[in-house]
Amino acid sequence: MINFRPPETRTRPSVGSSSSSVVTAEKALSFISKGWQEVRSSADADLQLIKNRANKFKNLADRDLENFINSASVSPFAVPAITASTTTAPAEIDFVKKLRPKLSEIRRAYSSSEFKWPSQGKLRIDLSAIKNAIVAEVEEEEKEREIWRKWRCDRLKEERHFGEFDWEPIRAFKTRLKELEVELKGSSSSPAEIFEVIKNSEFVGKVKSSLKSICKEPEETKGVPPLDVPELLAYLVRQSSPFLDQIGIRRDISEKIVESLCSKGHSKLLLNSLPGGGSSLIDGEIMNDELDLRIASVLQSTGHCYDGGFWGDSTKQNLEGDKRHVAIVTTASLPWMTGTAVNPLFRAAYLAKSEKQNVTLLVPWLCKSDQELVYPNQLTFSSPEAQELYIRNWLEERIGFKADFKISFYPGKFSKERRSILPAGDTSQFIPSRDADIAILEEPEHLNWYHHGKRWTDKFNHVVGIVHTNYLEYIKREKNGALQAFFVKHINNWVTRAYCDKVLRLSAATQDLPRSLVCNVHGVNPKFLKIGEKAAADRQSGQKVFSKGAYFLGKMVWAKGYRELIDLLSKHKTEFDGFNLDVFGNGEDAHEVQSTAKRLNLNVNFMNGRDHADDSLHGYKVFINPSISDVLCTATAEALAMGKFVVCADHPSNEFFQEFPNCLTYKTPEDFVAKVEKAMSSEPQPLTPEEQYKLSWEAATQRFMKYSDLEKVLSDETSLDRRRRKGMGKSVSMPNLEEMVDGALAFTHNCLTGNEFLRSCTGAIPRTRDYDKQHCNDLHLLPPQVENPIYGW
């Protein structure tokens, strides 16, 4: 900013008398006037020189044109047989114009003494039409020049004032100077008073205001105090909460530290501005907002602009086209009837149904040996195309419309110890860069335990994780489960923090992960809703809908509720005398579960697993599910959709279902007995249209779009390729410590997962850092050494 110094800071000239001061002022004005006269004379000289050069050029052009016309009018030869008429003059002109560069050569050739005309006749060409056309064109150009010259002269006359070139701002400046001169002549002779007149004059005031407006600070940045030490420490602690959580400091403790730090220093002003004047009324969310406002206001007052993340990838894809791209990556595929195979398939179909975005479903491809271990009824596929056809046929039979989305495969291997499919190689490379826009990771922790490849948030503009499984609950049931669960908990925090922008947990039964919230984004197969509608219609017509009692359906492993079921039935064997339960399922623990039930003499009938929509299951009235390891049991939702009673535990995994009147929850074993008796002795209520919609995939997709921020991302045109905060242009923000921590976690994880020894020590399948030769043959892939060459290979 330019500041005007007061007169005391300058050296004052010594003045002998008042007359000498007047003379000094007149000399100053005379000097300024002489300077303006020199500028005027110099400008006049330049204008005269430009005018002379233009006239010279014009005369030269006129002379050349006249010579050309005279030479064209002389015709040394004529052809009587070919006479040009005036009606074809334009055509002849065009023709001659094409030959114009060669006319001189033709004239010299025909004028030579060695040239002899043929005896048959004389050639004659009339060039008068050419001459007339050229003259007309020259005259037209001359008229245009004259019009331009006249306009320019008029313009100069308007801009000329008292014989000198005068620009409007200069004229205004000179007027102000004359006004200032008049004021000086009428003032006293003291130099200080003369300076005071100049300082307080309207002219100087306007100059100062103009200069201030150029260098003016925004009003909102005035008076912003700098950040003090407690505020800096509070921001550091809040941004370091993921790291602190990794070392055992809980999030609520971090929030209390931030609150105590913000209650000191300049933040007191913010706290006192709220109702009550104290921090007792401020929760963690308001405290974070206030701290963000303080950081933003201070940074804005400094004019700081941040260029992007330290760990960010500046090579983001510039996506083109009208549609966005959504890639859904999951950990299982049909015909394995598990939640991570079925639900992502329905999600892809209903996201593609809106036709607002292109959808790709990426599922694992298993070699034939692994297919025999995973898929039921010894069903195997010889190629990905055959499995894709099976998936599409299964889906279209249930949704009733043709889903337009792409199905791709990535290499996977089945782990017998973990009873799940683990990726082999970099899963992200199977989504082309041109389609890398939005990624939905089904089971993000599972996908990234051993992920060694490009970071998802670097390749994609928005990454959403959906947590399906409560891994901690399963691990605690194993040997040394508490210790394993401790490490897995922190690894899950690590990988989801490093690879996801947003995490959705289907229920509160899952681990509390960074940037996560609880929302059920799953629906039920439309086929089950139709079964429920048919059952309600049959009841209204007087038919008996439910002719059978109670049943349980699920994969036959202890962790899927079979332990709780056998414990409840054995503890209350006398109360359940005469009560029979049919159990449907297959699994690794089938023999052990059946032998335990037989040894305890329980009234349980075990049958092979089958589709929940099978006709043989329609007549059952009560579905019993005592599992507390599920996150959100799909079979429970399907039973409610079919209009059955559901008896389940009062557990966070069943919180979504408790709003339905046919869901009976129990807290104690005695309560379990009472709820089963109530369900067996009464009839379930038909679902209302609102309850049916809440269970549907349309409602689930709407919830997903809202809570995953996908609705906001898809509607934001500027976010097509620039929305993400890394490498997306300058913004008024400080270098994001949270982003740097996430990048460091991803970098460290990538380094550790690149070591085969460390991978094997942590439970990875050997040699799964890259896909193997069989995957190359099945998926028609290049060998990993060619796809990702090592320097010197």
Side-chain angles (χ1 to χ4, degrees):
M1 179 170 294
I2 300 175
N3 295 318
F4 288 87
R5 295 180 178 271
E8 289 77 7
T9 61
R10 301 180 184 271
T11 303
R12 298 184 180 181
S14 59
V15 182
S17 64
S18 60
S19 60
S20 62
S21 62
V22 174
V23 172
T24 302
E26 291 179 351
K27 286 182 179 180
L29 292 174
S30 176
F31 177 77
I32 295 174
S33 177
K34 185 182 295 184
W36 280 110
Q37 288 177 1
E38 292 178 357
V39 172
R40 181 191 61 190
S41 60
S42 176
D44 289 341
D46 292 340
L47 288 174
Q48 186 63 36
L49 180 61
I50 293 172
K51 183 177 180 180
N52 293 338
R53 289 183 178 178
N55 290 333
K56 185 178 179 180
F57 176 77
K58 173 181 174 299
N59 295 333
L60 182 61
D62 292 342
R63 202 163 43 245
D64 291 341
L65 182 62
E66 185 178 357
N67 293 337
F68 176 75
I69 294 173
N70 293 335
S71 63
S73 62
V74 180
S75 179
F77 54 89
V79 181
I82 306 175
T83 303
S85 62
T86 57
T87 58
T88 61
E92 290 182 0
I93 292 171
D94 294 339
F95 173 75
V96 174
K97 282 183 178 179
K98 294 180 180 178
L99 297 177
R100 188 184 304 169
K102 300 181 180 179
L103 288 176
S104 59
E105 297 178 6
I106 295 173
R107 186 163 59 240
R108 284 196 300 269
Y110 279 83
S111 301
S112 175
S113 59
E114 299 177 358
F115 178 78
K116 294 183 179 180
W117 290 98
S119 58
Q120 285 81 357
K122 294 183 178 181
L123 295 174
R124 188 179 185 87
I125 298 178
D126 188 3
L127 297 177
S128 60
I130 299 175
K131 175 183 176 182
N132 296 334
I134 294 174
V135 171
E137 185 176 356
V138 171
E139 290 178 352
E140 185 178 353
E141 292 179 357
E142 184 63 27
K143 288 180 181 179
E144 292 179 356
R145 288 197 196 97
E146 187 64 27
I147 294 172
W148 167 257
R149 196 179 297 113
K150 184 178 179 182
W151 178 86
R152 186 62 184 159
C153 291
D154 295 340
R155 178 80 180 194
L156 289 175
K157 287 180 181 178
E158 293 176 0
E159 295 177 351
R160 197 172 295 277
H161 182 63
F162 297 108
E164 63 183 24
F165 186 76
D166 196 12
W167 188 35
E168 180 65 29
I170 296 176
R171 186 162 57 249
F173 183 73
K174 291 196 298 182
T175 304
R176 296 295 183 185
L177 284 177
K178 289 181 180 178
E179 294 176 356
L180 180 60
E181 184 179 356
V182 172
E183 292 179 6
L184 288 175
K185 288 181 179 179
S187 64
S188 61
S189 57
S190 172
E193 293 180 357
I194 292 174
F195 186 85
E196 204 58 38
V197 171
I198 296 175
K199 180 180 177 183
N200 298 327
S201 64
E202 183 183 359
F203 169 67
V204 176
K206 290 187 175 181
V207 173
K208 290 175 64 177
S209 63
S210 300
L211 293 174
K212 286 182 178 180
S213 65
I214 296 173
C215 306
K216 184 179 180 181
E217 284 188 34
E219 293 182 2
E220 59 271 12
T221 63
K222 292 182 179 179
V224 178
L227 293 174
D228 53 15
V229 175
E231 287 174 327
L232 290 173
L233 290 176
Y235 188 79
L236 179 64
V237 171
R238 195 187 67 176
Q239 298 287 44
S240 303
S241 59
F243 174 74
L244 297 176
D245 187 52
Q246 294 288 337
I247 61 177
I249 301 177
R250 298 194 308 273
R251 187 177 302 180
D252 55 345
I253 297 177
S254 301
E255 292 176 353
K256 289 180 180 179
I257 295 174
V258 172
E259 183 177 350
S260 63
L261 289 171
C262 286
S263 63
K264 302 175 182 178
H266 294 301
S267 295
K268 287 183 178 180
L269 299 174
L270 297 173
L271 297 177
N272 294 334
S273 64
L274 294 172
S279 62
S280 60
L281 298 175
I282 303 174
D283 57 13
E285 185 177 354
I286 297 178
M287 181 67 68
N288 289 335
D289 291 342
E290 294 293 343
L291 184 57
D292 287 338
L293 288 175
R294 276 282 297 138
I295 298 291
S297 61
V298 172
L299 288 172
Q300 190 173 7
S301 67
T302 62
H304 172 73
C305 289
Y306 176 49
D307 234 348
F310 180 77
W311 303 92
D313 185 4
S314 60
T315 60
K316 279 284 184 182
Q317 297 297 323
N318 293 330
L319 302 174
E320 298 179 356
D322 295 330
K323 286 189 177 182
R324 306 295 295 269
H325 296 267
V326 178
I328 302 175
V329 188
T330 187
T331 58
S333 175
L334 295 179
W336 190 10
M337 298 300 297
T338 184
T340 52
V342 175
N343 291 307
L345 181 60
F346 282 111
R347 194 182 329 279
Y350 281 89
L351 280 176
K353 185 179 180 182
S354 65
E355 298 183 354
K356 294 181 180 178
Q357 57 274 329
N358 295 323
V359 180
T360 299
L361 177 64
L362 190 62
V363 299
W365 166 259
L366 299 178
C367 299
K368 192 171 183 179
S369 58
D370 284 339
Q371 292 183 29
E372 294 173 352
L373 296 174
V374 177
Y375 298 153
N377 304 323
Q378 300 298 316
L379 183 60
T380 59
F381 303 96
S382 58
S383 66
E385 292 78 11
Q387 186 171 0
E388 179 181 352
L389 181 62
Y390 175 90
I391 294 172
R392 292 191 183 277
N393 291 336
W394 185 93
L395 178 65
E396 291 179 6
E397 288 177 0
R398 287 157 178 79
I399 61 177
F401 61 89
K402 186 174 180 61
D404 184 15
F405 65 93
K406 181 181 178 182
I407 297 179
S408 299
F409 293 85
Y410 68 87
K413 287 193 173 183
F414 180 70
S415 172
K416 296 180 181 178
E417 294 76 14
R418 296 181 181 272
R419 296 172 179 173
S420 59
I421 299 173
L422 297 177
D426 180 12
T427 310
S428 66
Q429 76 179 81
F430 295 94
I431 299 294
S433 297
R434 64 180 181 274
D435 297 339
D437 183 11
I438 299 167
I440 301 172
L441 306 184
E442 311 277 352
E443 293 196 315
E445 68 277 54
H446 184 155
L447 283 169
N448 293 301
W449 279 333
Y450 305 106
H451 175 71
H452 180 70
K454 195 171 184 64
R455 186 182 176 193
W456 294 97
T457 50
D458 285 345
K459 183 169 184 177
F460 292 83
N461 291 320
H462 188 63
V463 181
V464 181
I466 302 177
V467 179
H468 290 247
T469 308
N470 188 359
Y471 289 105
L472 301 183
E473 184 65 30
Y474 288 118
I475 293 172
K476 288 177 182 178
R477 299 168 183 259
E478 299 178 358
K479 185 179 180 181
N480 299 322
L483 181 62
Q484 293 186 57
F486 173 80
F487 286 110
V488 171
K489 174 186 177 182
H490 292 285
I491 292 174
N492 290 345
N493 279 332
W494 184 355
V495 295
T496 53
R497 184 89 195 184
Y499 295 116
C500 294
D501 294 316
K502 196 72 173 282
V503 178
L504 298 180
R505 298 154 53 204
L506 297 179
S507 72
T510 56
Q511 177 183 345
D512 186 11
L513 296 170
R515 289 192 288 266
S516 67
L517 57 87
V518 176
C519 180
N520 175 22
V521 293
H522 285 178
V524 298
N525 186 336
K527 191 173 183 179
F528 294 102
L529 292 172
K530 293 180 180 178
I531 295 172
E533 292 175 357
K534 183 178 182 302
D538 292 342
R539 286 181 60 183
Q540 287 184 354
S541 62
Q543 300 181 26
K544 186 176 182 180
V545 177
F546 302 115
S547 58
K548 301 179 183 179
Y551 73 107
F552 176 58
L553 179 142
K555 186 178 180 181
M556 201 167 293
V557 293
W558 285 115
K560 282 290 186 180
Y562 285 90
R563 175 70 66 188
E564 291 82 359
L565 179 63
I566 288 181
D567 289 344
L568 288 170
L569 294 178
S570 60
K571 187 175 181 179
H572 298 277
K573 187 184 299 184
T574 56
E575 288 87 342
F576 288 118
D577 186 24
F579 173 78
N580 292 316
L581 180 67
D582 295 337
V583 176
F584 300 88
N586 301 315
E588 295 84 351
D589 298 333
H591 177 72
E592 188 176 352
V593 170
Q594 294 176 16
S595 60
T596 303
K598 185 176 181 180
R599 177 171 51 84
L600 295 174
N601 195 23
L602 301 178
N603 295 326
V604 178
N605 303 317
F606 291 98
M607 304 179 187
N608 291 331
R610 62 194 66 183
D611 193 339
H612 204 173
D614 192 86
D615 294 341
S616 61
L617 301 178
H618 293 179
Y620 288 95
K621 182 171 67 171
V622 182
F623 176 73
I624 296 178
N625 181 17
S627 174
I628 57 174
S629 62
D630 287 323
V631 173
L632 188 81
C633 184
T634 304
T636 300
E638 292 169 349
L640 287 173
M642 290 189 287
K644 304 178 186 295
F645 273 125
V646 171
V647 178
C648 57
D650 187 4
H651 189 261
S653 61
N654 298 317
E655 185 176 352
F656 177 80
F657 306 123
Q658 292 178 4
E659 301 178 12
F660 295 86
N662 291 336
C663 180
L664 307 178
T665 58
Y666 63 90
K667 297 182 179 180
T668 63
E670 294 74 17
D671 195 17
F672 170 75
V673 176
K675 293 301 171 61
V676 171
E677 292 178 350
K678 178 181 177 180
M680 294 298 295
S681 60
S682 58
E683 291 294 325
Q685 301 179 18
L687 292 178
T688 63
E690 292 77 14
E691 293 169 347
Q692 287 181 332
Y693 178 75
K694 192 172 183 180
L695 290 171
S696 68
W697 266 105
E698 287 84 359
T701 304
Q702 186 177 6
R703 292 192 297 267
F704 172 75
M705 295 288 288
K706 178 180 178 181
Y707 291 101
S708 67
D709 293 337
L710 200 60
E711 193 173 47
K712 179 180 178 182
V713 171
L714 292 174
S715 62
D716 187 3
E717 294 297 332
T718 61
S719 72
L720 184 60
D721 53 356
R722 296 299 98 185
R723 192 201 69 83
R724 287 191 52 78
R725 57 185 179 274
K726 295 190 283 292
M728 297 302 155
K730 294 185 178 181
S731 61
V732 181
S733 62
M734 75 181 303
N736 196 329
L737 180 60
E738 179 182 2
E739 186 176 306
M740 295 177 65
V741 170
D742 294 347
L745 291 174
F747 177 77
T748 306
H749 181 264
N750 188 67
C751 292
L752 295 176
T753 55
N755 187 289
E756 283 288 357
F757 175 75
L758 293 177
R759 293 171 65 94
S760 300
C761 291
T762 54
I765 302 175
R767 297 180 298 279
T768 55
R769 189 186 66 178
D770 298 309
Y771 47 82
D772 57 18
K773 185 177 180 181
Q774 187 60 46
H775 284 125
C776 293
N777 295 333
D778 293 345
L779 297 175
H780 308 292
L781 302 174
L782 293 174
Q785 297 86 352
V786 177
E787 189 75 29
N788 301 300
I790 301 174
Y791 183 76
W793 178 77

